[in-house]
């Protein structure tokens, strides 16, 4: 049974990552009636980062809401970031509904209906004048689409190396996350094979990591198979095919498919947001981030379509002010009229 619609909100923000929180802070400081709905935990994407990860950026570039990110290190860790964003949410007393999945957004500008499902399968429905999509991209992996990818031994997220000591592991990918995982697993005593469809490692790998992974490959400490794709994954093996057509089967215990992630484009379609067929960028007003659907805004990495390397926390955090400034202006005009 769907509960009665709640009193109408000014804004419903979908996603509680750093950008969604930044939007919520702007709404809170303006006295707007808002709600943040998140299918996971607060900053869920950061929760999924490797346990011992260190950010590539400095702490001040991760700050939102004018709150200083204090750390004794030049570059903050994942654990410090989680603590920081929890503190931000507490300080501003942000209105968050966590572990609640948005099923649909219907209606029109000024009167949207948002249907959700909670962890206990309860269906809820909310009303809102405006919608902000700040859903990020880290929750949906780019799948290999090969037999066996659904086996328990396969993961698209790398957390830590210790459980894989003495195991035959494969890391699929040739960018930064694949290089980091391969090096960490190797140093924890795993037998690592790096599989990449390209002829060489990506030039986007961080400058202090690239020589390390290249030297480990050159020394034979990490096996590398370039120009190679995964054909099949079985319980005990990994079947690969080289560009030449040669097929080989390797002993394998675990697979880390570090093949990247993408925004939830299917959900955008259901909302009515149009996407560029070439790069999947949503059609938005660059001055306000309002989409082609009046009253629906996008914020954060989702504005970049498939080019997820263009928007990070460092620049996406500023979208909140732009979006909420425009929404506030629109709400004032509606009130006057």
């Amino acid at each position: 049974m769907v509960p009665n619609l709640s009193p109408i909100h000014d804004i419903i923000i979908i996603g509680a990552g750093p950008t969604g929180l930044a939007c919520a802070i702007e709404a809170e400081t303006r006295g707007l009636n808002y709600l943040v709905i998140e299918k996971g935990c607060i900053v869920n994407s950061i929760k999924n980062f490797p346990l011992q990860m260190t950010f590539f950026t400095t702490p001040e570039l991760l700050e939102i809401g004018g709150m200083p990110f204090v750390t004794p290190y030049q570059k903050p860790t994942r654990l410090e970031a989680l603590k920081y964003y929890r503190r931000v949410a507490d300080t501003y007393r942000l209105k968050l509904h966590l572990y609640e999945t948005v099923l649909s957004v219907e209606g029109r500008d000024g009167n949207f209906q948002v249907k959700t499902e909670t962890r206990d399968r309860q269906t809820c429905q909310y009303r809102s004048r405006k919608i902000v999509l700040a859903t990020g991209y880290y929750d949906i992996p780019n799948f290999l689409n090969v037999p066996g990818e659904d086996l328990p031994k396969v993961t698209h997220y790398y957390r830590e190396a210790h459980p894989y000591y003495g195991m035959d592991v494969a890391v699929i990918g040739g960018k930064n996350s694949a290089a980091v995982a391969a090096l960490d697993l190797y140093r924890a005593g795993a037998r690592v094979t790096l599989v990449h469809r390209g002829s060489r490692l990506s030039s986007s790998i961080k400058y202090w990591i690239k020589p390390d992974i290249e030297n480990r490959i050159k020394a034979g400490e990490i096996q590398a198979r370039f120009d190679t794709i995964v054909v099949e994954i079985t319980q005990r093996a990994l079947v690969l095919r080289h560009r030449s057509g040669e097929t080989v089967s390797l002993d394998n215990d675990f697979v880390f498919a570090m093949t990247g992630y993408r925004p939830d484009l299917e959900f955008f379609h259901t909302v009515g947001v149009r996407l560029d067929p070439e790069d999947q960028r949503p059609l938005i007003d660059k001055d306000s981030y309002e989409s082609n659907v009046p009253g629906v805004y996008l914020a954060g990495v989702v504005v970049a379509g498939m080019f997820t390397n263009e928007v990070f926390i460092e620049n996406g955090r500023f979208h909140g002010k732009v979006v909420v400034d425009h929404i506030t202006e629109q709400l004032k005009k509606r009130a006057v009229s």
Side-chain angles (χ1 to χ4, degrees):
M1 179 178 178
V2 179
N4 292 331
L5 293 175
S6 65
I8 193 164
H9 294 84
D10 293 316
I11 311 174
I12 284 183
I13 301 160
I14 303 174
T19 299
L21 297 182
C23 293
I25 290 169
E26 296 294 335
E28 177 71 31
T29 56
R30 287 165 171 77
L32 298 177
N33 181 14
Y34 72 93
L35 177 64
V36 181
I37 303 176
E38 163 62 53
K39 68 178 180 180
C41 65
I42 186 173
V43 290
N44 195 67
S45 59
I46 298 177
K47 181 267 292 184
N48 284 326
F49 287 173
L51 298 182
Q52 304 303 320
M53 194 204 84
T54 298
F55 281 84
F56 299 130
T57 190
T58 53
E60 63 270 14
L61 296 180
L62 302 179
E63 293 174 355
I64 58 175
M67 287 191 60
F69 189 152
V70 180
T71 170
Y73 308 110
Q74 183 179 8
K75 296 180 179 180
T77 65
R78 164 189 172 274
L79 184 59
E80 288 179 308
L82 294 176
K83 290 180 179 177
Y84 170 75
Y85 290 115
R86 292 198 303 267
R87 183 163 59 89
V88 168
D90 285 342
T91 299
Y92 281 98
R93 298 181 179 180
L94 298 181
K95 300 174 181 66
L96 307 173
H97 281 203
L98 304 176
Y99 296 101
E100 186 170 344
T101 301
V102 173
L103 301 177
S104 64
V105 175
E106 299 178 345
R108 57 183 176 80
D109 188 14
N111 187 21
F112 289 102
Q113 294 85 48
V114 178
K115 185 178 179 181
T116 71
E117 184 178 77
T118 63
R119 280 189 301 169
D120 56 1
R121 300 296 178 88
Q122 179 184 3
T123 301
C124 302
Q125 195 158 315
Y126 307 91
R127 296 170 61 213
S128 182
R129 295 183 174 89
K130 305 288 184 180
I131 301 291
V132 178
L133 304 179
T135 49
Y137 76 104
Y138 201 62
D139 291 333
I140 304 180
N142 293 322
F143 291 105
L144 299 169
N145 295 316
V146 299
E149 189 172 9
D150 57 347
L151 290 172
K153 64 182 270 186
V154 181
T155 179
H156 292 85
Y157 298 93
Y158 176 72
R159 304 303 306 282
E160 61 175 331
H162 173 76
Y164 309 101
Y165 167 80
M167 299 287 102
D168 291 306
V169 303
V171 177
I172 316 300
K175 294 186 177 180
N176 201 77
S177 59
V180 169
L183 288 168
D184 201 28
L185 289 160
Y186 155 71
R187 294 199 165 99
R191 295 181 292 274
V192 182
T193 298
L194 182 72
V195 181
H196 182 38
R197 63 184 179 183
S199 58
R200 61 179 65 86
L201 293 170
S202 171
S203 59
S204 66
I205 295 176
K206 303 303 179 184
Y207 68 87
W208 64 91
I209 296 173
K210 199 163 190 287
D212 192 3
I213 185 71
E214 289 176 336
N215 287 335
R216 301 291 74 74
I217 292 172
K218 184 177 180 181
E221 295 164 330
I222 292 176
Q223 301 299 314
R225 292 180 176 267
F226 295 107
D227 293 317
T228 300
I229 61 172
V230 177
V231 177
E232 183 181 3
I233 303 168
T234 69
Q235 277 296 359
R236 300 294 302 165
L238 187 67
V239 182
L240 307 175
R241 179 181 298 136
H242 188 265
R243 184 171 60 180
S244 65
E246 178 188 4
T247 300
V248 63
S249 178
L250 303 180
D251 291 341
N252 175 262
D253 297 306
F254 295 96
V255 175
F256 298 88
M258 312 306 294
T259 49
Y261 310 91
R262 64 176 181 82
D264 190 350
L265 303 177
E266 290 78 10
F267 179 70
F268 293 170
H269 279 299
T270 67
V271 177
V273 175
R274 291 207 300 269
L275 305 174
D276 187 304
E278 294 295 324
D279 55 20
Q280 301 300 297
R281 291 181 192 270
L283 181 62
I284 60 170
D285 183 298
K286 294 183 179 180
D287 293 326
S288 66
Y289 298 114
E290 187 174 19
S291 73
N292 62 283
V293 180
V296 175
Y297 297 75
L298 280 76
V301 68
V302 293
V303 306
M306 300 305 293
F307 292 92
T308 53
N309 61 338
E310 292 183 358
V311 180
F312 303 92
I313 298 174
E314 296 94 313
N315 50 1
R317 63 193 175 129
F318 297 117
H319 293 179
K321 185 177 187 308
V322 176
V323 167
V324 179
D325 276 349
H326 191 263
I327 289 176
T328 303
E329 180 183 345
Q330 294 299 307
L331 291 176
K332 287 180 179 178
K333 288 180 179 179
R334 185 183 295 270
V336 171
S337 60

